[in-house]
Amino acid sequence: MTLVIEPSEPSAPAVQPLSDLVARDAREFGVYARTGGWAFALMVARSVRPGGQSAGETPKVSAKEFAQLAECSPERVMRYYKAWDRAADDGLVPHFETLEPGQRVDLPDADVWLSYYVSRSSATSERGTAIAEAAEAEGIRPTKALEVAENPTALRAAILADPSTARAARAALLDRLGQDPDLQADLARDVVRTDELKKAVASESRAADRIGYVRQIAESGQIRTPAGQTVEAPSELREEAERHLSLIDELDDGEDTGEWATEAYDTMKSLVVEAVEADPSLRVQERRTKFYNSLQKATRAFEELTFDDAQDFYEDDMVQRLEELQQAIGTCLAALRGAGNQPHG
C-alpha cells in the first residue's frame, strides 16, 4: 500500500495586535476629516472659561493659560474661541457655559468651518471693517469675504478658471469705479496699453453710438438729415427704429450687439435718405443747407489765408490756383444771379 502525504496548507500569518497609538491617531484623523477646525474649537470651548467667569467658578482656564499649555499664541486660541462663539449665536454649537472639560458634542460639518473662522486678525483692522460692512450689505457672512480678501492668489485662480467668478469680479470692479479714481486711472491705462482691449473698446463704442442714433429717433421722433437738419421723422420710420431697438434689447447679457447695431444703423441711415428724397420741400431745403455748409467752410478756409509775408513763400502756382478759384466763384455767381432772375412758379 502506498502512503500518500497531503501537503499541508500554509499557516496564516500571525495577526499583530492593533497599536493603541495607531487606533487613537485614526480616530482623531476621522474626527478632523469630518469636522475640520471644529474639533480644535471644541477643545478651546470646553477648556477656556468665558469672559466674566472667575477661576474659582470653573475648572476651565484662561485663553492665555491654555495657549501656554498648547505652546501657541493666545491670539490663535482666541480665533478659535470667537469662531465657536459666532457659531453658538447661530445655534450650531452649544454655548461655552454649558460645556465642561472633556465633554463631547456633535460638531458641524467641516465645510461650515471657514464661514466662522477668521485666520488672521484682519477683521479688526480698518480694511477688515470695510470688508465686513460690505459683506453684510451683500447679505453674506463677513468671515467669508475676509477669507477671500486674505488669499488674493486663490481669488485670482478662481477668476482665471471660472467664467462666473470672472463675471462677478468684473461687476464688482464696475461698481467700485465710481468711488475709486485711482482704479479708474489704472483700468484706463490697462486699456490703452493692451491692443486687444483698445480694439474691443473702440468696437463697443461704435456699437453704442449706432444704437444711440437709432434710440434717439425712436424716443424723440426726430431725424437728423445728412446735411444736418433736424426734422420730424415719418411715423413708419420711427416704428422701424422702435422695432430694431426691441430686437437689440432682447439680446442676452454678454451677447455681441455689434452686428445688430450695424444693421439697425445702416437701415435707419438709408430710410432717412429715402425720407428726404420723398419730400420735395425737404429735398430742396436739404440742398440749400448743404450748399450753405459748403460755402461756410470755403469762406472760413479763405479767411484763414494771410499775405503779410507773401514775398517769403510766393510761387506762381499759388496765383494760378487763386485765379482758377476766382473763375469758379464767378461761374457760381452767374448761376445764382441767373436763378434769381428766373420767375418763380
Side-chain angles (χ1 to χ4, degrees):
M1 183 176 66
T2 303
L3 181 62
V4 178
I5 301 176
E6 297 289 340
S8 61
E9 294 182 1
S11 57
V15 178
Q16 297 292 330
L18 181 64
S19 166
D20 290 340
L21 296 176
V22 172
R24 187 184 67 183
D25 281 349
R27 286 193 298 271
E28 291 182 357
F29 177 84
V31 169
Y32 185 77
R34 291 189 303 274
T35 63
W38 293 115
F40 298 113
L42 173 60
M43 298 176 191
V44 173
R46 68 192 182 190
S47 299
V48 174
R49 62 175 179 264
Q53 203 171 38
S54 64
E57 298 178 56
T58 174
K60 298 181 180 182
V61 297
S62 67
K64 183 177 180 179
E65 292 177 272
F66 189 89
Q68 290 173 342
L69 293 170
E71 297 182 354
C72 69
S73 68
E75 290 77 16
R76 179 180 293 273
V77 172
M78 286 306 299
R79 287 199 290 272
Y80 282 86
Y81 182 97
K82 291 176 181 178
W84 187 276
D85 190 34
R86 285 188 284 267
D89 288 341
D90 287 348
L92 290 181
V93 294
H95 285 280
F96 296 104
E97 293 80 4
T98 65
L99 295 174
E100 297 178 357
Q103 183 177 346
R104 295 186 178 276
V105 298
D106 292 333
L107 297 173
D109 292 336
D111 293 343
V112 188
W113 171 246
L114 291 179
S115 298
Y116 292 92
Y117 178 72
V118 180
S119 59
R120 294 180 177 86
S121 58
S122 60
T124 60
S125 66
E126 181 178 350
R127 172 175 176 264
T129 300
I131 293 172
E133 291 175 352
E136 291 176 352
E138 293 290 336
I140 62 173
R141 286 192 172 282
T143 46
K144 289 185 178 180
L146 288 165
E147 182 71 22
V148 172
E150 290 296 328
N151 198 342
T153 303
L155 176 60
R156 170 183 166 83
I159 292 173
L160 290 174
D162 179 41
S164 62
T165 303
R167 285 192 291 271
R170 177 184 64 84
L173 285 173
L174 290 176
D175 289 342
R176 185 177 175 82
L177 280 178
Q179 57 183 339
D180 193 336
D182 291 338
L183 180 60
Q184 292 179 21
D186 289 341
L187 286 180
R189 282 191 290 268
D190 289 339
V191 169
V192 299
R193 292 172 182 172
T194 308
D195 289 339
E196 291 79 2
L197 286 177
K198 281 197 296 186
K199 293 177 182 177
V201 168
S203 177
E204 289 296 323
S205 179
R206 184 166 54 251
D209 288 342
R210 290 175 171 177
I211 293 173
Y213 173 80
V214 179
R215 191 178 300 280
Q216 189 274 333
I217 295 174
E219 294 180 353
S220 71
Q222 294 182 323
I223 57 174
R224 188 173 178 82
T225 68
Q229 298 185 82
T230 300
V231 298
E232 290 296 318
S235 58
E236 61 273 13
L237 194 151
R238 185 174 185 179
E239 290 172 0
E240 184 67 8
E242 292 173 347
R243 186 182 71 83
H244 279 283
L245 276 183
S246 66
L247 292 174
I248 293 172
D249 291 340
E250 288 174 3
L251 295 176
D252 295 333
D253 291 341
E255 190 171 351
D256 184 15
T257 60
E259 183 177 348
W260 295 85
T262 299
E263 180 182 352
Y265 179 80
D266 291 345
T267 300
M268 299 314 299
K269 279 285 189 179
S270 298
L271 291 177
V272 168
V273 172
E274 292 176 8
V276 171
E277 291 299 317
D279 186 332
S281 61
L282 182 58
R283 184 169 67 249
V284 171
Q285 182 63 32
E286 183 75 355
R287 294 175 64 187
R288 182 185 296 113
T289 303
K290 185 176 181 181
F291 181 87
Y292 270 112
N293 289 342
S294 299
L295 183 60
Q296 287 175 350
K297 289 179 183 177
T299 302
R300 282 196 299 268
F302 191 80
E303 289 174 345
E304 290 175 359
L305 297 177
T306 57
F307 303 94
D308 296 337
D309 52 352
Q311 69 277 3
D312 296 334
F313 57 82
Y314 169 82
E315 293 180 1
D316 291 340
D317 182 62
M318 295 178 182
V319 175
Q320 182 181 348
R321 286 175 178 259
L322 284 172
E323 288 175 343
E324 292 173 352
L325 177 60
Q326 185 180 33
Q327 293 174 2
I329 293 174
T331 302
C332 288
L333 287 172
L336 288 174
R337 285 169 179 162
N341 294 327
Q342 293 291 330
H344 297 283

mmCIF file with all atom_site columns, all heavy atoms in Angstrom, residues 210 213-214 244-245 248 259-269:
data_model
loop_
_atom_site.group_PDB
_atom_site.id
_atom_site.type_symbol
_atom_site.label_atom_id
_atom_site.label_alt_id
_atom_site.label_comp_id
_atom_site.label_asym_id
_atom_site.label_entity_id
_atom_site.label_seq_id
_atom_site.pdbx_PDB_ins_code
_atom_site.Cartn_x
_atom_site.Cartn_y
_atom_site.Cartn_z
_atom_site.occupancy
_atom_site.B_iso_or_equiv
_atom_site.pdbx_formal_charge
_atom_site.auth_seq_id
_atom_site.auth_comp_id
_atom_site.auth_asym_id
_atom_site.auth_atom_id
_atom_site.pdbx_PDB_model_num
ATOM 1   N N   . ARG A 1 210 ? -24.058 103.837 -32.513 1.00 0.00 ? 210 ARG A N   1
ATOM 2   C CA  . ARG A 1 210 ? -25.056 103.492 -33.516 1.00 0.00 ? 210 ARG A CA  1
ATOM 3   C C   . ARG A 1 210 ? -26.406 103.182 -32.873 1.00 0.00 ? 210 ARG A C   1
ATOM 4   O O   . ARG A 1 210 ? -27.454 103.581 -33.384 1.00 0.00 ? 210 ARG A O   1
ATOM 5   C CB  . ARG A 1 210 ? -24.555 102.302 -34.341 1.00 0.00 ? 210 ARG A CB  1
ATOM 6   C CG  . ARG A 1 210 ? -23.394 102.691 -35.247 1.00 0.00 ? 210 ARG A CG  1
ATOM 7   C CD  . ARG A 1 210 ? -22.799 101.516 -35.990 1.00 0.00 ? 210 ARG A CD  1
ATOM 8   N NE  . ARG A 1 210 ? -21.838 101.990 -36.987 1.00 0.00 ? 210 ARG A NE  1
ATOM 9   C CZ  . ARG A 1 210 ? -21.106 101.194 -37.759 1.00 0.00 ? 210 ARG A CZ  1
ATOM 10  N NH1 . ARG A 1 210 ? -21.217 99.873  -37.640 1.00 0.00 ? 210 ARG A NH1 1
ATOM 11  N NH2 . ARG A 1 210 ? -20.268 101.700 -38.644 1.00 0.00 ? 210 ARG A NH2 1
ATOM 12  N N   . TYR A 1 213 ? -27.989 106.416 -31.952 1.00 0.00 ? 213 TYR A N   1
ATOM 13  C CA  . TYR A 1 213 ? -28.594 107.093 -33.100 1.00 0.00 ? 213 TYR A CA  1
ATOM 14  C C   . TYR A 1 213 ? -30.014 106.567 -33.345 1.00 0.00 ? 213 TYR A C   1
ATOM 15  O O   . TYR A 1 213 ? -30.955 107.341 -33.526 1.00 0.00 ? 213 TYR A O   1
ATOM 16  C CB  . TYR A 1 213 ? -27.709 106.861 -34.321 1.00 0.00 ? 213 TYR A CB  1
ATOM 17  C CG  . TYR A 1 213 ? -28.287 107.369 -35.627 1.00 0.00 ? 213 TYR A CG  1
ATOM 18  C CD1 . TYR A 1 213 ? -28.210 108.706 -35.974 1.00 0.00 ? 213 TYR A CD1 1
ATOM 19  C CD2 . TYR A 1 213 ? -28.913 106.499 -36.516 1.00 0.00 ? 213 TYR A CD2 1
ATOM 20  C CE1 . TYR A 1 213 ? -28.731 109.178 -37.169 1.00 0.00 ? 213 TYR A CE1 1
ATOM 21  C CE2 . TYR A 1 213 ? -29.447 106.951 -37.713 1.00 0.00 ? 213 TYR A CE2 1
ATOM 22  C CZ  . TYR A 1 213 ? -29.352 108.295 -38.035 1.00 0.00 ? 213 TYR A CZ  1
ATOM 23  O OH  . TYR A 1 213 ? -29.878 108.748 -39.220 1.00 0.00 ? 213 TYR A OH  1
ATOM 24  N N   . VAL A 1 214 ? -30.144 105.231 -33.305 1.00 0.00 ? 214 VAL A N   1
ATOM 25  C CA  . VAL A 1 214 ? -31.456 104.619 -33.534 1.00 0.00 ? 214 VAL A CA  1
ATOM 26  C C   . VAL A 1 214 ? -32.401 104.951 -32.379 1.00 0.00 ? 214 VAL A C   1
ATOM 27  O O   . VAL A 1 214 ? -33.583 105.265 -32.579 1.00 0.00 ? 214 VAL A O   1
ATOM 28  C CB  . VAL A 1 214 ? -31.316 103.096 -33.701 1.00 0.00 ? 214 VAL A CB  1
ATOM 29  C CG1 . VAL A 1 214 ? -32.676 102.441 -33.905 1.00 0.00 ? 214 VAL A CG1 1
ATOM 30  C CG2 . VAL A 1 214 ? -30.399 102.773 -34.877 1.00 0.00 ? 214 VAL A CG2 1
ATOM 31  N N   . HIS A 1 244 ? -36.172 97.825  -34.368 1.00 0.00 ? 244 HIS A N   1
ATOM 32  C CA  . HIS A 1 244 ? -34.759 97.446  -34.231 1.00 0.00 ? 244 HIS A CA  1
ATOM 33  C C   . HIS A 1 244 ? -34.312 97.513  -32.778 1.00 0.00 ? 244 HIS A C   1
ATOM 34  O O   . HIS A 1 244 ? -33.560 96.647  -32.296 1.00 0.00 ? 244 HIS A O   1
ATOM 35  C CB  . HIS A 1 244 ? -33.886 98.357  -35.084 1.00 0.00 ? 244 HIS A CB  1
ATOM 36  C CG  . HIS A 1 244 ? -33.841 97.975  -36.533 1.00 0.00 ? 244 HIS A CG  1
ATOM 37  N ND1 . HIS A 1 244 ? -33.081 96.922  -37.011 1.00 0.00 ? 244 HIS A ND1 1
ATOM 38  C CD2 . HIS A 1 244 ? -34.483 98.483  -37.611 1.00 0.00 ? 244 HIS A CD2 1
ATOM 39  C CE1 . HIS A 1 244 ? -33.235 96.819  -38.319 1.00 0.00 ? 244 HIS A CE1 1
ATOM 40  N NE2 . HIS A 1 244 ? -34.087 97.745  -38.712 1.00 0.00 ? 244 HIS A NE2 1
ATOM 41  N N   . LEU A 1 245 ? -34.774 98.531  -32.065 1.00 0.00 ? 245 LEU A N   1
ATOM 42  C CA  . LEU A 1 245 ? -34.401 98.642  -30.650 1.00 0.00 ? 245 LEU A CA  1
ATOM 43  C C   . LEU A 1 245 ? -34.916 97.472  -29.836 1.00 0.00 ? 245 LEU A C   1
ATOM 44  O O   . LEU A 1 245 ? -34.218 96.950  -28.951 1.00 0.00 ? 245 LEU A O   1
ATOM 45  C CB  . LEU A 1 245 ? -34.948 99.945  -30.063 1.00 0.00 ? 245 LEU A CB  1
ATOM 46  C CG  . LEU A 1 245 ? -34.111 101.207 -30.266 1.00 0.00 ? 245 LEU A CG  1
ATOM 47  C CD1 . LEU A 1 245 ? -34.772 102.371 -29.567 1.00 0.00 ? 245 LEU A CD1 1
ATOM 48  C CD2 . LEU A 1 245 ? -32.700 101.010 -29.749 1.00 0.00 ? 245 LEU A CD2 1
ATOM 49  N N   . ILE A 1 248 ? -32.688 94.550  -30.272 1.00 0.00 ? 248 ILE A N   1
ATOM 50  C CA  . ILE A 1 248 ? -31.428 94.700  -29.551 1.00 0.00 ? 248 ILE A CA  1
ATOM 51  C C   . ILE A 1 248 ? -31.628 94.523  -28.049 1.00 0.00 ? 248 ILE A C   1
ATOM 52  O O   . ILE A 1 248 ? -30.824 93.880  -27.363 1.00 0.00 ? 248 ILE A O   1
ATOM 53  C CB  . ILE A 1 248 ? -30.800 96.072  -29.862 1.00 0.00 ? 248 ILE A CB  1
ATOM 54  C CG1 . ILE A 1 248 ? -30.373 96.130  -31.335 1.00 0.00 ? 248 ILE A CG1 1
ATOM 55  C CG2 . ILE A 1 248 ? -29.610 96.353  -28.948 1.00 0.00 ? 248 ILE A CG2 1
ATOM 56  C CD1 . ILE A 1 248 ? -29.915 97.501  -31.790 1.00 0.00 ? 248 ILE A CD1 1
ATOM 57  N N   . GLU A 1 259 ? -23.124 93.457  -34.523 1.00 0.00 ? 259 GLU A N   1
ATOM 58  C CA  . GLU A 1 259 ? -23.774 93.169  -35.808 1.00 0.00 ? 259 GLU A CA  1
ATOM 59  C C   . GLU A 1 259 ? -25.189 93.732  -35.849 1.00 0.00 ? 259 GLU A C   1
ATOM 60  O O   . GLU A 1 259 ? -25.620 94.311  -36.866 1.00 0.00 ? 259 GLU A O   1
ATOM 61  C CB  . GLU A 1 259 ? -23.793 91.655  -36.032 1.00 0.00 ? 259 GLU A CB  1
ATOM 62  C CG  . GLU A 1 259 ? -24.377 91.240  -37.373 1.00 0.00 ? 259 GLU A CG  1
ATOM 63  C CD  . GLU A 1 259 ? -24.318 89.737  -37.582 1.00 0.00 ? 259 GLU A CD  1
ATOM 64  O OE1 . GLU A 1 259 ? -23.632 89.047  -36.793 1.00 0.00 ? 259 GLU A OE1 1
ATOM 65  O OE2 . GLU A 1 259 ? -24.955 89.248  -38.532 1.00 0.00 ? 259 GLU A OE2 1
ATOM 66  N N   . TRP A 1 260 ? -25.914 93.596  -34.739 1.00 0.00 ? 260 TRP A N   1
ATOM 67  C CA  . TRP A 1 260 ? -27.283 94.122  -34.678 1.00 0.00 ? 260 TRP A CA  1
ATOM 68  C C   . TRP A 1 260 ? -27.284 95.646  -34.753 1.00 0.00 ? 260 TRP A C   1
ATOM 69  O O   . TRP A 1 260 ? -28.138 96.240  -35.419 1.00 0.00 ? 260 TRP A O   1
ATOM 70  C CB  . TRP A 1 260 ? -27.952 93.662  -33.382 1.00 0.00 ? 260 TRP A CB  1
ATOM 71  C CG  . TRP A 1 260 ? -28.159 92.190  -33.301 1.00 0.00 ? 260 TRP A CG  1
ATOM 72  C CD1 . TRP A 1 260 ? -27.256 91.260  -32.883 1.00 0.00 ? 260 TRP A CD1 1
ATOM 73  C CD2 . TRP A 1 260 ? -29.337 91.472  -33.656 1.00 0.00 ? 260 TRP A CD2 1
ATOM 74  N NE1 . TRP A 1 260 ? -27.808 90.003  -32.952 1.00 0.00 ? 260 TRP A NE1 1
ATOM 75  C CE2 . TRP A 1 260 ? -29.085 90.104  -33.420 1.00 0.00 ? 260 TRP A CE2 1
ATOM 76  C CE3 . TRP A 1 260 ? -30.586 91.853  -34.133 1.00 0.00 ? 260 TRP A CE3 1
ATOM 77  C CZ2 . TRP A 1 260 ? -30.036 89.126  -33.647 1.00 0.00 ? 260 TRP A CZ2 1
ATOM 78  C CZ3 . TRP A 1 260 ? -31.544 90.871  -34.366 1.00 0.00 ? 260 TRP A CZ3 1
ATOM 79  C CH2 . TRP A 1 260 ? -31.258 89.519  -34.123 1.00 0.00 ? 260 TRP A CH2 1
ATOM 80  N N   . ALA A 1 261 ? -26.320 96.275  -34.078 1.00 0.00 ? 261 ALA A N   1
ATOM 81  C CA  . ALA A 1 261 ? -26.237 97.731  -34.097 1.00 0.00 ? 261 ALA A CA  1
ATOM 82  C C   . ALA A 1 261 ? -25.925 98.244  -35.500 1.00 0.00 ? 261 ALA A C   1
ATOM 83  O O   . ALA A 1 261 ? -26.503 99.250  -35.951 1.00 0.00 ? 261 ALA A O   1
ATOM 84  C CB  . ALA A 1 261 ? -25.165 98.209  -33.118 1.00 0.00 ? 261 ALA A CB  1
ATOM 85  N N   . THR A 1 262 ? -25.019 97.551  -36.187 1.00 0.00 ? 262 THR A N   1
ATOM 86  C CA  . THR A 1 262 ? -24.662 97.963  -37.551 1.00 0.00 ? 262 THR A CA  1
ATOM 87  C C   . THR A 1 262 ? -25.857 97.857  -38.491 1.00 0.00 ? 262 THR A C   1
ATOM 88  O O   . THR A 1 262 ? -26.125 98.769  -39.297 1.00 0.00 ? 262 THR A O   1
ATOM 89  C CB  . THR A 1 262 ? -23.501 97.103  -38.072 1.00 0.00 ? 262 THR A CB  1
ATOM 90  O OG1 . THR A 1 262 ? -22.357 97.281  -37.225 1.00 0.00 ? 262 THR A OG1 1
ATOM 91  C CG2 . THR A 1 262 ? -23.138 97.482  -39.500 1.00 0.00 ? 262 THR A CG2 1
ATOM 92  N N   . GLU A 1 263 ? -26.582 96.751  -38.400 1.00 0.00 ? 263 GLU A N   1
ATOM 93  C CA  . GLU A 1 263 ? -27.752 96.571  -39.259 1.00 0.00 ? 263 GLU A CA  1
ATOM 94  C C   . GLU A 1 263 ? -28.805 97.649  -38.996 1.00 0.00 ? 263 GLU A C   1
ATOM 95  O O   . GLU A 1 263 ? -29.375 98.235  -39.943 1.00 0.00 ? 263 GLU A O   1
ATOM 96  C CB  . GLU A 1 263 ? -28.353 95.189  -39.042 1.00 0.00 ? 263 GLU A CB  1
ATOM 97  C CG  . GLU A 1 263 ? -29.580 94.921  -39.918 1.00 0.00 ? 263 GLU A CG  1
ATOM 98  C CD  . GLU A 1 263 ? -30.204 93.569  -39.653 1.00 0.00 ? 263 GLU A CD  1
ATOM 99  O OE1 . GLU A 1 263 ? -29.602 92.770  -38.910 1.00 0.00 ? 263 GLU A OE1 1
ATOM 100 O OE2 . GLU A 1 263 ? -31.297 93.319  -40.185 1.00 0.00 ? 263 GLU A OE2 1
ATOM 101 N N   . ALA A 1 264 ? -29.069 97.917  -37.721 1.00 0.00 ? 264 ALA A N   1
ATOM 102 C CA  . ALA A 1 264 ? -30.064 98.934  -37.379 1.00 0.00 ? 264 ALA A CA  1
ATOM 103 C C   . ALA A 1 264 ? -29.625 100.312 -37.863 1.00 0.00 ? 264 ALA A C   1
ATOM 104 O O   . ALA A 1 264 ? -30.420 101.076 -38.440 1.00 0.00 ? 264 ALA A O   1
ATOM 105 C CB  . ALA A 1 264 ? -30.287 98.953  -35.870 1.00 0.00 ? 264 ALA A CB  1
ATOM 106 N N   . TYR A 1 265 ? -28.357 100.642 -37.654 1.00 0.00 ? 265 TYR A N   1
ATOM 107 C CA  . TYR A 1 265 ? -27.825 101.954 -38.044 1.00 0.00 ? 265 TYR A CA  1
ATOM 108 C C   . TYR A 1 265 ? -27.891 102.136 -39.558 1.00 0.00 ? 265 TYR A C   1
ATOM 109 O O   . TYR A 1 265 ? -28.376 103.176 -40.055 1.00 0.00 ? 265 TYR A O   1
ATOM 110 C CB  . TYR A 1 265 ? -26.392 102.075 -37.553 1.00 0.00 ? 265 TYR A CB  1
ATOM 111 C CG  . TYR A 1 265 ? -25.699 103.359 -37.908 1.00 0.00 ? 265 TYR A CG  1
ATOM 112 C CD1 . TYR A 1 265 ? -25.918 104.519 -37.183 1.00 0.00 ? 265 TYR A CD1 1
ATOM 113 C CD2 . TYR A 1 265 ? -24.803 103.408 -38.981 1.00 0.00 ? 265 TYR A CD2 1
ATOM 114 C CE1 . TYR A 1 265 ? -25.275 105.708 -37.512 1.00 0.00 ? 265 TYR A CE1 1
ATOM 115 C CE2 . TYR A 1 265 ? -24.157 104.589 -39.307 1.00 0.00 ? 265 TYR A CE2 1
ATOM 116 C CZ  . TYR A 1 265 ? -24.387 105.731 -38.578 1.00 0.00 ? 265 TYR A CZ  1
ATOM 117 O OH  . TYR A 1 265 ? -23.752 106.900 -38.911 1.00 0.00 ? 265 TYR A OH  1
ATOM 118 N N   . ASP A 1 266 ? -27.415 101.143 -40.307 1.00 0.00 ? 266 ASP A N   1
ATOM 119 C CA  . ASP A 1 266 ? -27.422 101.247 -41.773 1.00 0.00 ? 266 ASP A CA  1
ATOM 120 C C   . ASP A 1 266 ? -28.847 101.361 -42.314 1.00 0.00 ? 266 ASP A C   1
ATOM 121 O O   . ASP A 1 266 ? -29.120 102.129 -43.251 1.00 0.00 ? 266 ASP A O   1
ATOM 122 C CB  . ASP A 1 266 ? -26.717 100.033 -42.389 1.00 0.00 ? 266 ASP A CB  1
ATOM 123 C CG  . ASP A 1 266 ? -25.219 100.034 -42.126 1.00 0.00 ? 266 ASP A CG  1
ATOM 124 O OD1 . ASP A 1 266 ? -24.693 101.089 -41.735 1.00 0.00 ? 266 ASP A OD1 1
ATOM 125 O OD2 . ASP A 1 266 ? -24.580 98.967  -42.297 1.00 0.00 ? 266 ASP A OD2 1
ATOM 126 N N   . THR A 1 267 ? -29.754 100.588 -41.721 1.00 0.00 ? 267 THR A N   1
ATOM 127 C CA  . THR A 1 267 ? -31.147 100.641 -42.155 1.00 0.00 ? 267 THR A CA  1
ATOM 128 C C   . THR A 1 267 ? -31.736 102.022 -41.938 1.00 0.00 ? 267 THR A C   1
ATOM 129 O O   . THR A 1 267 ? -32.394 102.594 -42.831 1.00 0.00 ? 267 THR A O   1
ATOM 130 C CB  . THR A 1 267 ? -31.981 99.594  -41.404 1.00 0.00 ? 267 THR A CB  1
ATOM 131 O OG1 . THR A 1 267 ? -31.467 98.280  -41.674 1.00 0.00 ? 267 THR A OG1 1
ATOM 132 C CG2 . THR A 1 267 ? -33.447 99.644  -41.839 1.00 0.00 ? 267 THR A CG2 1
ATOM 133 N N   . MET A 1 268 ? -31.512 102.609 -40.760 1.00 0.00 ? 268 MET A N   1
ATOM 134 C CA  . MET A 1 268 ? -32.089 103.917 -40.455 1.00 0.00 ? 268 MET A CA  1
ATOM 135 C C   . MET A 1 268 ? -31.455 105.009 -41.308 1.00 0.00 ? 268 MET A C   1
ATOM 136 O O   . MET A 1 268 ? -32.149 105.931 -41.759 1.00 0.00 ? 268 MET A O   1
ATOM 137 C CB  . MET A 1 268 ? -31.915 104.244 -38.968 1.00 0.00 ? 268 MET A CB  1
ATOM 138 C CG  . MET A 1 268 ? -32.598 103.259 -38.007 1.00 0.00 ? 268 MET A CG  1
ATOM 139 S SD  . MET A 1 268 ? -34.295 102.850 -38.474 1.00 0.00 ? 268 MET A SD  1
ATOM 140 C CE  . MET A 1 268 ? -35.063 104.455 -38.404 1.00 0.00 ? 268 MET A CE  1
ATOM 141 N N   . LYS A 1 269 ? -30.160 104.912 -41.571 1.00 0.00 ? 269 LYS A N   1
ATOM 142 C CA  . LYS A 1 269 ? -29.499 105.893 -42.434 1.00 0.00 ? 269 LYS A CA  1
ATOM 143 C C   . LYS A 1 269 ? -30.128 105.886 -43.825 1.00 0.00 ? 269 LYS A C   1
ATOM 144 O O   . LYS A 1 269 ? -30.399 106.941 -44.416 1.00 0.00 ? 269 LYS A O   1
ATOM 145 C CB  . LYS A 1 269 ? -28.006 105.575 -42.527 1.00 0.00 ? 269 LYS A CB  1
ATOM 146 C CG  . LYS A 1 269 ? -27.189 106.076 -41.355 1.00 0.00 ? 269 LYS A CG  1
ATOM 147 C CD  . LYS A 1 269 ? -26.998 107.573 -41.441 1.00 0.00 ? 269 LYS A CD  1
ATOM 148 C CE  . LYS A 1 269 ? -26.018 108.089 -40.423 1.00 0.00 ? 269 LYS A CE  1
ATOM 149 N NZ  . LYS A 1 269 ? -25.808 109.553 -40.522 1.00 0.00 ? 269 LYS A NZ  1
#
